[in-house]
Amino acid sequence: EAQVTQNPRYLITVTGKKLTVTCSQNMNHEYMSWYRQDPGLGLRQIYYSMNVEVTDKGDVPEGYKVSRKEKRNFPLILESPSPNQTSLYFCASSPDSPYQPQHFGDGTRLSIL
Amino acid sequence: GNSVTQMEGPVTLSEEAFLTINCTYTATGYPSLFWYVQYPGEGLQLLLKATKADDKGSNKGFEATYRKETTSFHLEKGSVQVSDSAVYFCALIGSTGGFKTIFGAGTRLFVKA
């Protein structure tokens, strides 16, 4: 089954404790992206990647890192999480670019205390 | 920078009513425009898109026309169903400055039987 898989689905952690949210897709897609969803703000793009080793900042990259060492994986790293990063996070992928339908994962709910 | 403004929700309609969800945008050049839908507990799915002025995107009875003169991309459906209850997001990708995807805040639709 074609899918975008995020892990973990839920995480409660504390300020300053490094964490990684993994994202993996099995569709051989070139484009991948991370978003955060907050009430009243919709989705805001954090980072995106057009292909392996190619990443670019979205609108809200501060406090986040990403890497794209292989096509299927696009982990989101919070080196020193803070409470304002409490949010619902979505990973998405599309075949070549965001102009094609983006396939979204089921989301990761992060709570930073 | 680029931005998307959607009408605030929630919108509550009775089954078979006509739906309009307004979306206007600010962008330089010729952006591509999208409507995504998010059903409860799920990630987003592409509903329709339009990539140039006067294009009409349509899917599942929904349609939207790219109006450059009014910088709008309003979503319409002639007869809504209970199963259309969801959150609808308008989005754009600019034609300059990379491939950032900008989403609106989302409009929640409730359809009553």
Side-chain angles (χ1 to χ4, degrees):
Chain A
E1 180 190 350
Q3 57 187 3
V4 177
T5 304
Q6 298 178 224
N7 279 297
R9 293 290 315 281
Y10 304 90
L11 179 64
I12 301 173
T13 187
V14 296
T15 299
K17 185 177 180 182
K18 180 180 178 179
L19 68 92
T20 299
V21 184
T22 64
C23 174
S24 180
Q25 49 91 5
N26 62 359
M27 296 168 279
N28 202 37
H29 285 175
E30 294 190 354
Y31 177 89
M32 297 186 75
S33 181
W34 275 104
Y35 300 91
R36 59 179 289 176
Q37 183 176 16
D38 301 289
L41 297 176
L43 274 79
R44 292 178 292 167
Q45 192 171 40
I46 303 171
Y47 273 95
Y48 63 93
S49 170
M50 297 297 290
N51 212 328
V52 175
E53 303 291 5
V54 180
T55 62
D56 271 303
K57 295 177 181 178
D59 261 2
V60 289
E62 297 79 18
Y64 303 94
K65 285 175 59 176
V66 293
S67 67
R68 188 90 183 274
K69 293 186 171 61
E70 46 189 345
K71 186 180 276 193
R72 65 182 294 127
N73 295 323
F74 191 45
L76 179 70
I77 303 158
L78 285 71
E79 295 267 4
S80 183
S82 62
N84 64 12
Q85 294 177 297
T86 292
S87 188
L88 177 59
Y89 291 84
F90 287 101
C91 181
S93 72
S94 64
D96 293 308
S97 78
Y99 297 99
Q100 297 162 300
Q102 294 186 53
H103 299 254
F104 282 76
D106 288 334
T108 295
R109 189 167 291 281
L110 284 184
S111 293
I112 317 292
L113 305 178
Chain B
N2 297 341
S3 66
V4 173
T5 303
Q6 289 182 233
M7 63 186 287
E8 283 193 32
V11 174
T12 303
L13 296 173
S14 297
E15 210 165 21
E16 298 184 6
F18 185 86
L19 168 70
T20 301
I21 300 178
N22 290 339
C23 171
T24 57
Y25 68 89
T26 301
T28 54
Y30 300 88
S32 294
L33 302 173
F34 305 81
W35 277 101
Y36 277 81
V37 58
Q38 184 180 32
Y39 297 102
E42 299 182 11
L44 279 69
Q45 305 171 25
L46 180 67
L47 184 58
L48 53 84
K49 70 176 185 179
T51 56
K52 60 182 189 293
D54 300 324
D55 264 3
K56 178 185 283 190
S58 61
N59 186 26
K60 300 181 182 179
F62 291 89
E63 54 183 39
T65 301
Y66 186 166
R67 302 280 189 207
K68 188 154 180 65
E69 63 275 13
T70 54
T71 61
S72 65
F73 193 53
H74 304 322
L75 182 69
E76 297 181 334
K77 187 175 185 184
S79 176
V80 293
Q81 306 300 311
V82 172
S83 57
D84 293 325
S85 298
V87 182
Y88 292 82
F89 292 92
C90 185
L92 73 79
I93 301 172
S95 58
T96 59
F99 296 96
K100 288 183 189 178
T101 307
I102 308 295
F103 282 87
T107 302
R108 184 175 294 277
L109 170 66
F110 292 106
V111 180
K112 302 180 298 185

